[in-house]
Amino acid sequence: MQLIVAGFHRSGTSLVTQLLVEAGLFVGDELLGSRPSNPYGHFEDTEFLRLHRAILERHGSDWQWDAAFPHFIGPDHWRAMVALIRKRELAYSTWGFKDPRVCLFLGAWNYLLPDAKFLVVYRDPAECVRSLETRQADDLLHGRGNEADHRRFFSEPDHGLRLWDTYNRGLVNFVRTHRDDCLVINHQQVVDGYPVVRRVNERLGLSLADVSAAEVFDPAVTGRRSAPLRTISDDVADRVRETWETLESLTDTEEAV
């Protein structure tokens, strides 16, 4: 069985995946390490990360897609996806992976892994965008990565919100079609003590050890910061609001215990 963790950047997927790893889920031998914005680590399998990056870069970018992704995957990348699956299946009966870019490829992975389950994590758009702006500003200040990509968050109105909507709208469309294979949770639920592992076992049929969030990470690391949602375009604001409300309607309502 496979469990794919999907969510936009800065939505809490790293924390959730850390919890799943502590509960016994294999998510890769070589994981992306920690940094100030992710002190516990990203918990992204670098093989899946490199593959997703390669597909996106062929279309001219890495992850900053703020419009519908063209969804073209070349034959070489299809073969690479199949090879990764075979490699994992030979070694593990239950495994998974996490990468925010997977939001753009859920249909492809579902086609190759028809029995896979999906844990979808989303977060308030204002919090995601503020977190991204902080990270990009820090990278810009210290000369890390692509300067032009960092500056887009400050030179293009609503760029961060358009990114949030593109990724999360992709999640909405996938969940609507594969409702029985998906568990949708809000980042704030996890911070408040939502029983992630227990609900993954109950709803998605896994058999992981029941580990609570409090045993793994400090919720204060991702505490909420009150600030208004800044928008320039009414159309963007309306789209984000619609996507948010739909995610809320799909969210698991199990209370923390």
Side-chain angles (χ1 to χ4, degrees), residues 19-48:
L19 180 59
L20 295 169
V21 168
E22 290 295 322
L25 182 68
F26 175 82
V27 297
D29 289 313
E30 183 184 347
L31 302 180
L32 192 64
S34 63
R35 56 179 297 175
S37 57
N38 276 68
Y40 293 104
H42 290 77
F43 290 88
E44 293 173 16
D45 186 328
T46 56
E47 290 188 278
F48 285 88

Side-chain angles (χ1 to χ4, degrees), residues 85-211:
I85 290 172
R86 289 175 177 167
K87 180 178 179 179
R88 293 292 179 268
E89 293 286 274
L90 286 172
Y92 302 94
S93 58
T94 301
W95 57 277
F97 68 88
K98 167 258 175 182
D99 175 20
R101 297 162 188 79
V102 79
C103 297
L104 305 173
F105 305 110
L106 290 175
W109 285 112
N110 182 248
Y111 176 81
L112 294 174
L113 294 167
D115 297 323
K117 305 298 180 182
F118 299 83
L119 178 58
V120 172
V121 187
Y122 70 99
R123 187 181 186 185
D124 179 277
E127 292 183 10
C128 281
V129 172
R130 281 195 299 274
S131 182
L132 278 172
E133 288 175 349
T134 299
R135 187 183 73 180
Q136 302 307 116
D138 186 67
D139 285 344
L140 183 62
L141 177 65
H142 292 92
R144 293 188 293 259
N146 185 294
E147 178 179 336
D149 286 345
H150 302 328
R151 290 188 181 278
R152 292 187 69 184
F153 284 87
F154 311 103
S155 63
E156 297 183 24
D158 299 334
H159 176 57
L161 286 175
R162 292 197 304 269
L163 287 171
W164 184 94
D165 187 69
T166 296
Y167 278 66
N168 283 283
R169 194 166 284 262
L171 293 175
V172 164
N173 292 336
F174 183 82
V175 172
R176 281 174 164 170
T177 308
H178 303 87
R179 191 70 187 94
D180 292 341
D181 296 323
C182 299
L183 176 63
V184 181
I185 59 176
N186 187 313
H187 169 270
Q188 191 58 41
Q189 287 178 288
V190 182
V191 173
D192 291 340
Y194 172 89
V196 175
V197 179
R198 177 165 64 82
R199 292 300 287 157
V200 164
N201 289 338
E202 292 172 351
R203 282 286 313 278
L204 302 180
L206 276 76
S207 300
L208 302 173
D210 192 1
V211 178

